[in-house]
């Protein structure tokens, strides 16, 4: 009697043997591609917590919006009338000085990617400042309540400076 072989030339589920990345993908394996696709670029837990706290303070804002029409970058929270743009940066993706750990896999690419992100962040800050915006950046590890308090204080301060003194003053 012949028994079927347990050996197969077909790759096992989750393995990258024989895997060909789709056009435009630089993923080294199917598993890596799935992992990268699962990483959120908005609505992360730190963003969600801070937004909830700011909303509870009675402030309203736009989520994942472009502060400037011609700028191809979005802020996590935009307070349009007061020109305040808020960014909650991930420690890995934006190179946190406290928590960034260089990658072990494909370090040349990922370290360059983080450096490009940091340069883009500086450029964004500069462009928004030149357009009269206040930019607030927080790391994902900062306490949400402290971030929300800082955001609320800045928005309220800018609202107050926009108001003209009444005739009674």
């Amino acid at each position: 009697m012949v028994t079927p072989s347990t050996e197969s030339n077909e790759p096992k589920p989750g393995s990258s043997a024989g895997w060909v990345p789709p056009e435009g993908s630089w993923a080294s394996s199917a598993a890596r591609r799935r992992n990268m696709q699962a990483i959120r670029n908005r609505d992360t837990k730190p963003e969600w917590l801070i937004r909830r706290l700011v909303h509870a303070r009675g402030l309203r804002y736009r989520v994942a919006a472009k502060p400037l029409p011609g700028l191809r970058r979005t802020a996590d929270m935009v307070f349009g009338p007061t020109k305040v743009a808020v960014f909650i940066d991930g420690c890995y993706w934006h190179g946190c000085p406290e928590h960034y750990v260089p990658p072990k896999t494909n370090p040349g690419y990922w370290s360059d990617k983080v450096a490009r992100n940091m340069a883009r962040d500086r450029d964004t800050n500069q462009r928004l400042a030149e357009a009269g915006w206040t930019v607030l950046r927080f790391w994902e590890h900062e306490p949400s309540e402290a971030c929300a308090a800082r955001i609320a204080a800045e928005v309220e301060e800018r609202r107050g400076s926009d108001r003209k003194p009444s005739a009674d003053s």
Side-chain angles (χ1 to χ4, degrees):
M1 178 172 161
V2 178
T3 58
S5 171
T6 56
E7 292 296 313
S8 171
N9 290 337
E10 294 187 23
K12 295 178 184 174
S15 76
S16 60
W19 184 75
V20 177
E23 187 173 331
S25 174
W26 58 87
S28 56
S29 69
R32 175 62 57 204
R33 181 170 169 78
R34 281 191 306 275
N35 178 271
M36 295 304 296
Q37 288 176 325
I39 295 172
R40 296 171 152 253
N41 65 351
R42 65 171 278 184
D43 298 332
T44 63
K45 188 172 182 179
E47 288 176 34
W48 182 81
L49 289 170
I50 292 168
R51 288 197 320 241
R52 190 182 75 188
L53 292 167
V54 169
H55 191 273
R57 291 172 180 260
L59 299 176
R60 302 301 178 254
Y61 46 84
R62 290 175 49 218
V63 176
K66 294 179 183 179
L68 298 175
L71 189 62
R72 288 188 52 209
R73 296 168 193 166
T74 59
D76 297 316
M77 299 169 67
V78 174
F79 298 86
T82 56
K83 291 189 170 185
V84 176
V86 178
F87 297 87
I88 295 106
D89 294 336
C91 290
Y92 177 78
W93 296 107
H94 296 269
C96 172
E98 291 180 47
H99 299 109
Y100 176 71
V101 176
K104 292 179 176 63
T105 306
N106 201 0
Y109 174 81
W110 291 112
S111 294
D112 289 348
K113 168 71 174 152
V114 171
R116 290 191 310 268
N117 289 349
M118 293 169 69
R120 187 186 61 234
D121 292 344
R122 286 189 300 272
D123 181 61
T124 301
N125 293 350
Q126 180 183 350
R127 288 177 185 226
L128 290 174
E130 288 170 356
W133 285 73
T134 295
V135 177
L136 299 177
R137 284 195 179 270
F138 301 98
W139 291 109
E140 67 180 342
H141 66 265
E142 292 185 63
S144 300
E145 186 59 51
C147 298
R150 175 74 179 98
I151 293 165
E154 186 63 38
V155 170
E156 291 300 327
E157 181 180 319
R158 299 227 10 169
R159 279 184 181 166
S161 65
D162 290 345
R163 293 190 177 122
K164 296 179 180 162
S166 64
D168 298 343
S169 302

